[in-house]
Amino acid sequence: GQQLNQSPQSMFIQEGEDVSMNCTSSSIFNTWLWYKQDPGEGPVLLIALYKAGELTSNGRLTAQFGITRKDSFLNISASIPSDVGIYFCAGREGTGTASKLTFGTGTRLQVTL
Amino acid sequence: NAGVTQTPKFQVLKTGQSMTLQCAQDMNHEYMSWYRQDPGMGLRLIHYSVGAGITDQGEVPNGYNVSRSTTEDFPLRLLSAAPSQTSVYFCASSRQGGVWEKLFFGSGTQLSVL
């Protein structure tokens, strides 16, 4: 099955730094989603994007739906230790019950003091 | 509100053994699904259900069975465990079958098959 290419795979940053990660696909998606997974827990939805070019924020997090509909970007500003975790993108093809959700391979974020 | 509850949290099996991973949700969600998560890979859909009595295969269904006798429960059965089924398994639910962005995940079951 198709997978989304997510980069970087992992990153170490210092507290206070800004973070950028992206997700690319060979397919066009109707919806882009960004999830965060804390250690030992399931993914939790951060941001949902529905239109090409859309820019949506959730606190210090900002995500964008790429114009081509084949990519998406997530930025975290002024990182803090609790930002540690794995960030997954997911893209939805099709509509209704026939739609398919594909997850990216994840970006592991570690924040040092 | 418990949300999506998975049991057990950890499980070790021997090759050939069978077992059932339990999943229950208390949000009256129509849609429930099972994913597996492997290192370096995204979540992959195993099976899903859009309502009681209805199930369908996902991307990687081989070696797994599901049933949906009630709205609340969606157990995943491993018929004859194999080392390739070592993984972390997540159950997820949402209010409607197509509302993927509203997926709620359980905390996962870490399964090791020796």
Side-chain angles (χ1 to χ4, degrees):
Chain A
Q2 179 188 196
Q3 287 192 358
L4 300 180
N5 296 315
Q6 205 170 333
S7 65
Q9 287 188 340
S10 64
M11 51 197 316
F12 285 83
I13 62 168
Q14 288 193 326
E15 185 178 5
E17 288 184 345
D18 296 342
V19 175
S20 293
M21 60 189 78
N22 67 76
C23 206
T24 60
S25 168
S26 57
S27 299
I28 290 176
F29 289 123
N30 298 324
T31 302
W32 279 98
L33 312 169
W34 285 91
Y35 288 86
K36 183 193 178 194
Q37 184 179 20
D38 291 325
E41 299 296 330
V44 174
L45 181 68
L46 298 173
I47 293 177
L49 303 160
Y50 303 100
K51 294 181 181 178
E54 180 180 353
L55 190 70
T56 297
S57 294
N58 178 6
R60 293 179 295 105
L61 278 63
T62 301
Q64 186 166 19
F65 194 138
I67 292 294
T68 66
R69 297 170 63 192
K70 292 183 177 181
D71 54 10
S72 182
F73 310 88
L74 177 69
N75 295 315
I76 305 173
S77 62
S79 59
I80 59 178
S82 62
D83 290 334
V84 166
I86 303 175
Y87 292 80
F88 289 99
C89 62
R92 182 169 68 96
E93 298 175 80
T95 58
T97 55
S99 63
K100 177 185 173 185
L101 190 65
T102 301
F103 282 86
T105 51
T107 293
R108 183 182 296 273
L109 179 63
Q110 294 182 265
V111 180
T112 58
L113 297 175
Chain B
N1 200 345
V4 179
T5 302
Q6 287 184 239
T7 56
K9 184 73 173 175
F10 301 95
Q11 182 71 50
V12 179
L13 293 177
K14 294 181 179 178
T15 297
Q17 285 185 315
S18 62
M19 79 157 295
T20 300
L21 278 64
Q22 301 292 343
C23 175
Q25 51 88 12
D26 61 0
M27 298 173 282
N28 202 31
H29 284 171
E30 296 93 339
Y31 177 83
M32 296 185 76
S33 56
W34 278 100
Y35 287 87
R36 60 177 290 172
Q37 183 178 37
D38 300 296
M41 304 186 76
L43 292 162
R44 292 183 293 169
L45 183 65
I46 303 171
H47 284 286
Y48 66 97
S49 168
V50 298
I54 306 169
T55 63
D56 208 344
Q57 295 181 349
E59 181 184 355
V60 287
N62 292 340
Y64 307 95
N65 271 358
V66 292
S67 59
R68 185 91 179 272
S69 56
T70 67
T71 300
E72 295 79 18
D73 301 299
F74 191 45
L76 178 72
R77 298 182 184 86
L78 279 70
L79 308 174
S80 177
S84 61
Q85 293 179 305
T86 294
S87 187
V88 181
Y89 291 85
F90 288 99
C91 179
S93 72
S94 71
R95 184 171 54 84
Q96 294 175 8
V99 186
W100 307 95
E101 53 267 44
K102 302 298 185 184
L103 272 179
F104 290 84
F105 285 86
S107 58
T109 295
Q110 187 168 327
L111 175 68
S112 295
V113 183
L114 307 177

